[in-house]
Amino acid sequence: LRPGIVLPPIPLAAFRAVREGLRGRGGPVFIGAGHADRRKGFDLFLTAAARIAEERADARFVWLGALDPWAQDLAAAARGQGLDLTLPGFVTDSLAWYRGADVYLLTSRQDPGPMTVIHAAAVGTPFVGYAADIGLIGLSEEAGRFVPPGDEAGFVAAALEAAAAVTS
């Protein structure tokens, strides 16, 4: 089986709880996931988040996964600058978090899967990703969009466009 084919079981109550927690304040929600390190592009996630927040002050951001000390320092600095950033860690109800978000931000510099994008797509959340060393290139474009690595402006524009396309 390809990673992500079998989805983890999630009770409906988890979807409701996450949706109420994320949607209660309005504004688009952008999510990323994985062990927050350089390979997963946690710094790129925060850079994109800051630029998105400049365009949409009501935007909120979530990172699912563990943060090493480097990532913790980056997250603290981003929060200190006012970024609305939620860091629940690794969660068992990740599908509910993906569904509660408007757009998945795939900032990995290298990932053979990634299963997280598959899970986000499975619950209807589109992605915007950097076309780096990502194993899903050519297999997932119907669920999202890739932009060239390093094209921060294009990444942010695509993320905002994807969020604007979300309807109830």
Side-chain angles (χ1 to χ4, degrees), residues 57-160:
D58 59 346
R60 286 169 298 118
F61 304 90
V62 176
W63 184 272
L64 300 180
L67 278 69
D68 62 16
W70 169 79
Q72 289 173 8
D73 290 345
L74 291 177
R79 284 177 157 171
Q81 294 172 352
L83 188 69
D84 189 345
L85 177 62
T86 301
L87 302 166
F90 282 115
V91 296
T92 58
D93 59 352
S94 61
L95 291 181
W97 286 88
Y98 297 138
R99 182 65 190 111
D102 294 298
V103 181
Y104 184 98
L105 302 179
L106 177 60
T107 55
S108 292
R109 290 178 169 94
Q110 188 278 323
D111 199 323
M115 183 170 44
T116 56
V117 172
I118 296 169
H119 286 171
V123 294
T125 303
F127 76 89
V128 172
Y130 284 114
D133 185 11
I134 306 297
L136 292 177
I137 293 175
L139 302 173
S140 58
E141 282 74 0
E142 290 181 23
R145 179 175 167 194
F146 286 106
V147 299
D151 183 4
E152 289 179 12
F155 187 89
V156 168
L160 288 167

Side-chain angles (χ1 to χ4, degrees), residues 13-77:
F15 285 94
R16 287 187 189 119
V18 169
R19 184 186 68 218
E20 289 172 13
L22 289 177
R23 295 283 171 207
R25 296 179 298 176
V29 178
F30 299 87
I31 194 167
H35 181 84
D37 60 13
R38 183 163 170 73
R39 185 179 66 88
K40 288 287 187 181
F42 186 65
D43 56 329
L44 300 176
F45 176 84
L46 292 177
T47 299
R51 291 186 70 170
I52 290 168
E54 289 173 2
E55 299 289 324
R56 289 291 309 258
D58 59 346
R60 286 169 298 118
F61 304 90
V62 176
W63 184 272
L64 300 180
L67 278 69
D68 62 16
W70 169 79
Q72 289 173 8
D73 290 345
L74 291 177

